[in-house]
Structures are given as structure tokens and as C-alpha cells.
Amino acid sequence: LTAVTPSGSVTDTVTPFPAVDGGTVSIAIDGLSAYFTSGSLTGSGGLYTGTSINTLQPGAHSFVAAYSGGTDGVNSWSASTSPAAGYLVTSPTSTGLAVTSSSTQLGSTVTFTATVTSTLGATAPAGGSVAFVNAGNSQTVASATVVAGTASVTLTTLPAGTYSFNAIYTPATNSGYSGSTTGAPTSYTVTRLKPPTVTIVAAPSPPTVGQAVGITATVTTVAGIVPTGSMIFYVNSLAILGGATVTMSGGSATISYSALQGGNQIVTVQ
């Protein structure tokens, strides 16, 4: 420090406090104490450079440095803690889409599953959402939350037709993951159910007038579904058995009828 006075020059020397020359530094990451701990700071001039780390997963992290305090035998330094320093680890992602079947019957269920992964080998994202988008009209058909890298939706209401679907991943805020979209649309077709057919069998055939005849009507199984419900039997367009309904079993309904007249008779069911 130099001051100039009317009588001449006066020089005074101020000696700065010595750099820290004792004690240790520890660095806590995300609240984990002493993630890094230095050896003695003796002879370091108070400088500690932590070891590199490459195992942090994507997301926001905080770092806090704590000094233990120390002495060099002459000077002493008190303990102190730094403010938290924020750090965001990022990772690009890749999104894939799978479907339980490439084609189903109208009204059947189908499950779409999107899988989101880190292209850097980090842990799969645990949050965010995936939109399942019809590539033909860019409309979102459904969306789901990502859990452990996957998101799934089950649909039963798609009209008949052929579709192409994309899965679009939107990461959670400050997750560190980037958004991504399936590279190519996944095709899916919904086909209409073929109408069932009804087969009617009478025995004995031909019967005699007044003879009891067993009449069985069977509805074909469609898409593995055995028809249920009931039937009303008609002879020559007139309901028989008083129009009573007959419960189906195994896709069929059977009656016994003994009032058939002579000649050709037309039996139908509803």
C-alpha cells in the first residue's frame, strides 16, 4: 500500500493471510456425504481437485463441498461449507414400438408397448410420457406414463382399417433425457368380423305327419367366439312353440316339434 504525502513517499506492506495449508475437503453429491474426500491440504495452497466421476445417471444433481478446518501450526482455518452447485446430466434416447398382433378382428383388444432407452447406456427413464399417434392423420389415439422405460396402452375401439402408429416420448422436466420418436411407423390392421352362418338340421328326415321332429339350429363360431343367446323357431314364416325363445348351448338350440303338416316345410330361426 503506497500513500503519497506532501513530505514525501511512505510505503507500507500488507501481508495477506496465508493460503489454507491443512485440513481436508469432502464433496457430497445429492446428499451422499463424503462422496469424494481429499487427503490433507497441507502444501496444496488450499486447492483440491476432485476425482472424475462418470457414473451419474441423467437428471439434476447437486454438489456441496465441505472443508473440515485445519492448522499449519501457526495459522488456523475454520470449517466451512459451500452453497450447493447444480448440475444436469443429459442423455439422448431411442424409442421403439411393439404391438401384440399386426392384425385383429374388429372389437378385439390390442396392446401397444413403447420402450424408451438411453443411447448412452444409462438407466431407462422412469418418468415422462409416450403419445401413440396415428401417422395417417397425426392424431394421438392414446397416451401413457413411462415406468421403468416402458409405456403401454390397450385399445378395443379402433374402427376397421389399416393404420400406421408412431410412439413419441416426451421426457419429464429436468429428467436429463431427450425426447425421441420411433424411427418408422408400426403397421396395424383391424378387420371386420365375418357374419356368422346358421345351419338347421331336422331328424328324422323326412318325417311323417304328426311325428315328433328334432330341429337343431347351429350358429358358426367366429374368431374363436362361441355364440350365446336364444332363438325363436319359425315354420313357413310363422313362429312355433308360441314364439317362445330357446336358449342356446354351445352355439346351438334344439326343439322337438310334432305339428308339421304334409308337404315341404321351410324352417327358419331368429
Side-chain angles (χ1 to χ4, degrees):
L1 175 65
T2 301
V4 177
T5 67
S7 61
S9 297
V10 177
T11 300
D12 188 16
T13 301
V14 177
T15 302
F17 199 80
V20 172
D21 195 21
T24 60
V25 170
S26 63
I27 298 178
I29 301 177
D30 297 335
L32 298 177
S33 298
Y35 201 100
F36 295 127
T37 301
S38 75
S40 173
L41 290 181
T42 301
S44 70
L47 178 64
Y48 167 59
T49 301
T51 306
S52 297
I53 180 172
N54 61 4
T55 57
L56 292 177
Q57 294 299 314
H61 301 275
S62 66
F63 295 75
V64 175
Y67 171 56
S68 66
T71 180
D72 62 0
V74 176
N75 303 292
S76 62
W77 297 268
S78 61
S80 62
T81 302
S82 74
Y87 186 71
L88 182 66
V89 178
T90 61
S91 171
T93 64
S94 175
T95 300
L97 179 60
V99 60
T100 50
S101 175
S102 61
S103 178
T104 60
Q105 298 284 350
L106 182 66
S108 299
T109 60
V110 61
T111 299
F112 293 88
T113 300
T115 302
V116 184
T117 58
S118 163
T119 59
L120 299 181
T123 301
S129 63
V130 169
F132 298 86
V133 178
N134 181 353
N137 57 16
S138 299
Q139 296 296 310
T140 298
V141 176
S143 60
T145 300
V146 175
V147 178
T150 62
S152 297
V153 294
T154 298
L155 304 176
T156 59
T157 58
L158 291 174
T162 299
Y163 302 88
S164 292
F165 281 96
N166 283 321
I168 301 175
Y169 169 60
T170 300
T173 303
N174 290 331
S175 68
Y177 294 94
S178 64
S180 56
T181 303
T182 47
T186 298
S187 296
Y188 172 66
T189 301
V190 180
T191 58
R192 295 185 183 277
L193 291 173
K194 296 180 180 179
T197 58
V198 180
T199 302
I200 300 175
V201 177
S205 178
T208 58
V209 174
Q211 184 178 11
V213 179
I215 304 174
T216 299
T218 301
V219 182
T220 56
T221 298
V222 176
I225 301 173
V226 178
T228 60
S230 60
M231 296 182 181
I232 299 176
F233 286 76
Y234 297 81
V235 174
N236 298 327
S237 300
L238 298 176
I240 60 176
L241 305 179
T245 58
V246 181
T247 301
M248 298 171 62
S249 176
S252 299
T254 300
I255 63 170
S256 179
Y257 188 64
S258 58
L260 291 175
Q261 304 298 312
N264 291 328
Q265 311 292 315
I266 298 175
V267 178
T268 57
V269 294
Q270 179 181 354

